[in-house]
């Protein structure tokens, strides 16, 4: 199988996560500039994208550019796309996505149980994969693609996407012995992330 040869198929992987608000920096204006900016703001609505008035908060949201950090217990969701960039038909395409952790390798997806018969030029194969993260440390998403060219030549390539799984909460406990032979337990829950966490319930 050829791996180093120029590939006919292109693989793109994007983590699916909620967008965040764009952080804007304040700036000072003189009176003339202020009048000009005020007029522009009145003419347009910053909550929508130009030519897309039905999409709210368009200009104020920022899509993630990297995999970023993922926290223990979170569901890792990723969009996998295979696109035929060439001008010839590719056949017998097999796509697999595995997650390598510190202790095991998990098969997240085999996009089809049987090889996909063909992928014509400019055609894509797309899938969204999900996995609940249950282990701390470095994780590597391994995506592999096998296919055959129009003349029957076997082709193969892999791509690796590394991300860290962090612990969102740190729980510390202390025991106290009272004079009445009763035992008291103190539990301290600390948020170790850089943002707020909303606790739905705590069970002791």
């Amino acid at each position: 199988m050829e791996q180093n040869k120029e590939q006919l198929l292109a693989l793109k992987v994007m983590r699916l996560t909620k967008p965040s608000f764009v952080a804007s920096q304040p700036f000072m204006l003189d009176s003339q500039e202020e009048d000009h900016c005020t007029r522009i703001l009145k003419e347009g609505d910053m909550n929508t994208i130009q030519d897309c008035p039905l999409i709210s908060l368009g200009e104020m949201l920022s899509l993630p550019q990297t995999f970023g950090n993922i926290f223990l217990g979170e569901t890792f969701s990723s969009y996998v796309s295979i696109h035929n960039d060439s001008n010839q038909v590719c056949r017998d395409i097999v796509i697999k996505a595995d997650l390598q952790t510190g202790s095991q390798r998990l098969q997240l997806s085999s996009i089809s149980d049987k090889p996909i018969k063909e992928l014509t030029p400019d055609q894509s194969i797309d899938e969204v994969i999900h996995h609940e993260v249950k282990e701390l440390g470095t994780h590597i998403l391994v995506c592999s693609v096998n296919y055959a060219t129009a003349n029957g030549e076997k082709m193969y390539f892999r791509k690796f996407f590394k991300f860290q799984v962090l612990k969102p909460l740190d729980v510390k406990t202390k025991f106290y012995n009272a004079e009445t032979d009763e035992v008291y337990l103190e539990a301290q829950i600390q948020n170790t992330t850089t943002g707020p966490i909303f606790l739905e319930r705590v069970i002791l």
Side-chain angles (χ1 to χ4, degrees), residues 44-195:
D45 184 0
M46 66 182 301
N47 290 335
T48 60
I49 301 176
Q50 188 176 2
D51 300 325
C52 298
L54 298 181
I55 301 179
S56 62
L57 295 176
E59 301 286 347
M60 301 176 65
L61 295 180
S62 174
L63 294 176
Q65 301 299 313
T66 63
F67 266 51
N69 292 324
I70 300 175
F71 295 103
L72 190 68
E74 187 176 353
T75 297
F76 169 71
S77 298
S78 185
Y79 171 76
V80 179
S81 177
I82 294 291
H83 185 264
N84 188 348
D85 287 344
S86 71
N87 57 3
Q88 60 178 289
V89 177
C90 297
R91 306 184 187 280
D92 301 327
I93 301 103
V94 177
I95 307 163
K96 293 183 179 180
D98 297 336
L99 187 64
Q100 179 72 54
T101 71
S103 63
Q104 58 184 331
R105 187 179 181 119
L106 305 169
Q107 181 175 323
L108 299 188
S109 170
S110 177
I111 290 186
S112 60
D113 295 332
K114 299 179 181 179
I116 298 167
K117 291 185 178 180
E118 64 176 32
L119 192 64
T120 57
D122 278 338
Q123 188 179 10
S124 296
I125 303 170
D126 305 293
E127 187 186 23
V128 176
I129 56 178
H130 303 280
H131 175 71
E132 183 182 351
V133 180
K134 299 180 179 179
E135 189 174 335
L136 293 170
T138 302
H139 287 56
I140 303 174
L141 179 65
V142 183
C143 296
S144 60
V145 181
N146 293 268
Y147 65 98
T149 63
N151 59 9
E153 183 180 7
K154 300 291 185 181
M155 303 290 287
Y156 165 77
F157 68 93
R158 289 190 301 175
K159 283 193 175 182
F160 303 88
F161 304 89
K162 183 185 294 187
F163 59 92
Q164 294 291 329
V165 175
L166 306 176
K167 185 168 61 171
L169 295 173
D170 188 25
V171 180
K172 298 179 180 179
T173 58
K174 292 181 180 180
F175 287 93
Y176 299 95
N177 293 316
E179 294 180 356
T180 58
D181 293 332
E182 292 179 330
V183 178
Y184 294 92
L185 170 66
E186 176 187 347
Q188 298 177 346
I189 302 176
Q190 180 184 4
N191 177 7
T192 58
T193 72
T194 57

